[in-house]
Amino acid sequence: MRLSFVKMHGLGNDFAILDGRDAELPRLSPAQIAALADRHRGIGFDQLIVLSPSRTADMAMRIHNADGSEVEACGNATRAVAVLHGTAASIETEGGLLQARPDAAGAEVAMGRAQFDWQDIPLAYAMDTREMPLGWEMLERPSAASVGNPHLIFFVNDVDAVPLDTLGPEIEHDPLFPERINVNVAQILSRNAIKLRVWERGAGLTLACGTGACATATAAYRQGLVDGEVTVRLPGGTLTIRHDAEGGIHMAGPAQESYRGTFELDHFS
Ligand SMILES: N[C@H](CCC[C@H](N)C(=O)O)C(=O)O
């Protein structure tokens, strides 16, 4: 079966989007998704996004990491879908109902409120997620937050000095995290600016992570380290994260189409 896709990215965090809103798509297996994610033998992407009709929103969005795992949220992809859709849209995800709106620079997404309770991250046992009594070599005393998906946030003096390519997978797969976790290392530059690098669950080092930027900004705001609106500087570019009076998180930043293509599904197993 030949399928069409739209290749998009948000600050270099890249996606293949299958649009099943008008025509039902076959269900792809984790192995097929991982094969399609291969940057030499497949399309190559950090996440696969599958759109479908929704009874409760303008559309439903399912998110699959490059390793084939299905997850609850993807901030950069949500902006890309808003740009693709072309007008404001409500989007049903496993992580909750999102409101997205394209704008001149890309899109803005209302991500809802973060959750901080240990069971909502989730963690394997009870712990205060504000400053956790944990350490992995130079990384210690992280915060944890869920913005639909789980994030661990370390505040450090120099993000570029952290060997995230080795510590990231070690932390991601720690038994403390029953559903694994995204690993963020953040440097507070000022009350309105954060520098961030992310090891993504199921995808590895990415050029940007929208939910990581949201989780990091809200963890820093919760600790009084930054004001309610911050710019988050990722390797791929900058996002603006704003908290509203109810604690809702709003993320704004670019998203754009790279190209469109097709592939023969039977070639991927
Ligand atoms: N790796 C994430 C999903 C993609 C998140 C990221 N690409 C974003 O923009 O939020 C997870 O397993 O929860």
Side-chain angles (χ1 to χ4, degrees), residues 13 47 65 71-76 149-150 182 200-201 209-212:
N13 178 207
Q47 280 85 29
N65 282 319
V71 292
E72 313 88 343
C74 182
N76 287 321
N149 59 349
N182 296 286
E200 283 199 31
R201 175 182 62 171
C209 180
T211 51

Side-chain angles (χ1 to χ4, degrees), residues 10 13-15 46-47 49 63-67 69-79 111 147-151 172 179-182 198-204 206 208-214 239 251:
N13 178 207
D14 65 331
F15 320 104
D46 291 328
Q47 280 85 29
I49 305 300
I63 301 138
H64 306 267
N65 282 319
D67 69 355
S69 58
E70 181 167 0
V71 292
E72 313 88 343
C74 182
N76 287 321
T78 307
R79 295 198 317 280
M111 297 292 288
V147 287
N149 59 349
H151 288 269
E172 173 191 356
E179 295 178 14
R180 299 187 288 159
I181 201 156
N182 296 286
V198 188
W199 172 270
E200 283 199 31
R201 175 182 62 171
T206 59
C209 180
T211 51
C214 293
L239 293 173
M251 167 190 57

Side-chain angles (χ1 to χ4, degrees), residues 112-114 218 221 243-249:
R113 293 162 56 152
T218 206
Y221 184 51
H243 291 79
D244 63 30
E246 294 71 41
I249 303 168

